[in-house]
Amino acid sequence: MTELLNASLDITVAIPTYNGATRLPKILDRLFTQMRIANLNWEIIVVDNNSSDNTCQVVENYQKICNSNFSLRYFLETEQGAAFARLRAVREARGELIAFLDDDNLPDPNWLAEAYAFGTEHPQAGAWSGQIHGDFEVKPPEKFERIQAFLAIREHGIEPHLFDPDNLRLPPGAALVVRKQAWCENVPQRPKLSGKLPGILVQGDDYEPLLYIHYAGWQIWYNPTMHTYHQIPHWRLEKDYLLTLARGCGLCICQLRLINTKNWQKPIVLVRTFLGNLRRVLEHLIKYRGHLKSDLIALFEMQFYLGSMMSPFYCLKRTIRKLTD
């Protein structure tokens, strides 16, 4: 509860970054020119997740031109993984609300004002996110819209609505706003899913804290008036990256479904996850037989289903490793 006592501002914008020296200037320039925030008490914090470039120097340069209306603070988090960077951001944030932005996610000029207004109007909202549009360096492949959500592109229409956490329909960690109280009272200090690390492909670190917040009774909303633009470089549309992403997103499924699951229910979840995704794999094979090698989007979906099918075994392996360590 110490973190809650430190919350004295309206909102903190938190930017976790890893080797983001070339990306940070764009996002900081956007934040320095936000509109409709004259009466807002806010701050920016940059959490450097053990970068090897000159990220620290970039932040120091911007601190020199930061005006008196808000502060820009820098923290180094040496434990690798996006989940640990977000946890550090929550500990350091002085705002009652925390608005996360990845260093490649550029906010609309009204993004901060809309984020704060929505939280004021929806006191039961523990987290909310908006529209995330793709800003592509190269043209995405045909039928890309089928998998664009995996690259944190979300365009769910112009009406606000609740997400569906029970079926893992949730917003990404980029451009996400959380109520600090909801996070601090419910999200463990040690995550089960750390995010991508060298040799570890498993994703799901975006969803884990949201599930804890949801199961504590808070609402998770989609707010279409918040717009950000996710910069997608060419290499994120290449086959090797996409298939690695698909597998990583699949491998976390069982662990996410086990959050808030009673011990007697866990074997049922393991079996249902395996069998449900085995069915999806077989149906996908029948539908796209002969075309998987030439259809990148269908191949991506197959890798996701395979990863999801194998996620119970990955989960069991992690459990056994913890017991034997």
Side-chain angles (χ1 to χ4, degrees), residues 58 198 228 246 293:
V58 170
T228 55
K293 289 186 178 180

Side-chain angles (χ1 to χ4, degrees), residues 1-42:
M1 296 297 291
T2 304
E3 295 92 342
L4 295 180
L5 297 175
N6 291 336
S8 59
L9 302 177
D10 295 322
I11 189 167
T12 294
V13 178
I15 309 171
T17 185
Y18 173 70
N19 287 345
T22 59
R23 297 184 296 275
L24 280 171
K26 288 184 180 180
I27 186 172
L28 290 174
D29 287 343
R30 292 285 188 104
L31 289 172
F32 277 36
T33 55
Q34 287 289 292
M35 301 173 65
R36 299 166 42 217
I37 55 170
N39 297 319
L40 207 59
N41 294 317
W42 68 293

Side-chain angles (χ1 to χ4, degrees), residues 144-270:
F144 175 75
E145 64 277 2
R146 281 173 26 197
I147 66 166
Q148 66 178 11
F150 289 89
L151 279 85
I153 298 171
R154 306 297 176 91
E155 297 165 323
H156 300 310
I158 61 173
E159 295 297 328
H161 60 259
L162 288 167
F163 282 98
D164 183 12
D166 292 328
N167 290 303
L168 300 184
R169 297 190 180 100
L170 287 163
L176 175 74
V177 186
V178 298
R179 204 173 295 275
K180 185 167 185 177
Q181 177 189 355
W183 183 298
C184 291
E185 291 179 351
N186 301 292
V187 178
Q189 286 298 305
R190 296 298 302 179
K192 289 182 171 65
L193 298 163
S194 62
K196 288 181 292 185
L197 294 171
I200 298 178
L201 311 176
V202 182
Q203 311 276 322
D205 53 290
D206 291 25
Y207 286 5
E208 184 181 351
L210 291 176
L211 289 171
Y212 290 117
I213 289 170
H214 162 67
Y215 290 129
W218 292 91
Q219 298 172 345
I220 301 176
W221 279 86
Y222 168 71
N223 173 22
T225 64
M226 294 162 52
H227 294 266
T228 55
Y229 301 87
H230 187 194
Q231 298 174 284
I232 309 291
H234 67 90
W235 55 267
R236 285 193 177 179
L237 298 176
E238 293 174 357
K239 181 178 178 180
D240 287 347
Y241 175 84
L242 288 174
L243 297 187
T244 299
L245 175 67
R247 287 191 294 271
C249 289
L251 284 172
C252 70
I253 293 298
C254 193
Q255 285 177 276
L256 292 174
R257 293 199 181 283
L258 289 175
I259 291 175
N260 204 47
T261 300
K262 295 179 174 62
N263 285 333
W264 69 267
Q265 296 173 314
K266 289 180 179 180
I268 299 171
V269 171
L270 292 170

